[in-house]
Amino acid sequence: MPTIFTRIINGEIPCHKIAENDQFLAFLDINPVAEGHTLVIPKKEVDYLFNLDDETYTGLMLFAKRIAKALPAAVPCLRVGVTVIGLEVPHTHVHLVPLNSMQDINFSKPKLNPGQEALITVAEKIRKVLV
Ligand code: AMP
């Protein structure tokens, strides 16, 4: 059965898209730990980051870097934190989280539930500053 992220890639489930090319997709986390929390995924469905082939692994990180460099212009922060967990969705994803404090990247605290309007607004802001 395809993962929920493959279903997003295939357009069966909507997402707040940030960027896409033929191999990778970036979209907002629906239950962010901080405003602007973005997920970056390979379109190739591989559960575990370190099981990606080298080309996909490096491509994913370079794609994530482009998003991370743009994020602070859209969501003011001290820096962008990077985490890979994968305990919930078995499809490799890099979490990019705009950070102002350590608490902003604490995945143990209750997640935010910003609602569609707020997600639409922040996605637009990030897309605008992407070069
Ligand atoms: P983990 O697998 O533990 O790294 O976490 C999976 C992340 O995916 C969580 O932060 C979820 O909020 C996020 N997530 C799950 N389903 C969706 C979805 N349909 N759209 C956006 N983010 C999602």
Side-chain angles (χ1 to χ4, degrees):
M1 197 167 104
T3 65
I4 190 161
F5 289 170
T6 291
R7 297 185 66 202
I8 287 174
I9 292 162
N10 293 339
E12 294 165 33
I13 293 176
C15 72
H16 297 278
K17 192 185 292 185
I18 302 299
E20 181 175 23
N21 67 16
D22 58 334
Q23 292 185 80
F24 307 105
L25 173 67
F27 55 100
L28 291 183
D29 194 299
I30 205 161
N31 286 124
V33 290
E35 187 186 28
H37 178 173
T38 298
L39 302 176
V40 187
I41 66 173
K43 292 190 174 176
K44 197 181 278 186
E45 188 180 300
V46 173
D47 178 358
Y48 186 45
L49 176 76
F50 296 119
N51 286 336
L52 290 174
D53 60 81
D54 289 355
E55 189 188 337
T56 307
Y57 177 88
T58 52
L60 177 70
M61 290 304 167
L62 288 172
F63 194 79
K65 179 181 175 184
R66 182 174 150 242
I67 314 295
K69 296 278 274 186
L71 267 173
V75 182
C77 58
L78 295 176
R79 59 176 55 210
V80 173
V82 182
T83 305
V84 176
I85 305 172
L87 292 174
E88 192 186 318
V89 179
H91 184 141
T92 297
H93 48 286
V94 176
H95 296 263
L96 298 178
V97 182
L99 296 181
N100 288 296
S101 77
M102 190 68 97
Q103 274 306 102
D104 290 333
I105 199 161
N106 177 0
F107 280 79
S108 300
K109 70 179 184 187
K111 299 276 206 72
L112 304 175
N113 192 2
Q116 292 300 315
E117 284 306 312
L119 291 170
I120 288 168
T121 302
V122 76
E124 276 172 3
K125 276 196 215 167
I126 300 168
R127 284 195 302 265
K128 265 192 200 154
V129 297
L130 265 180
V131 284

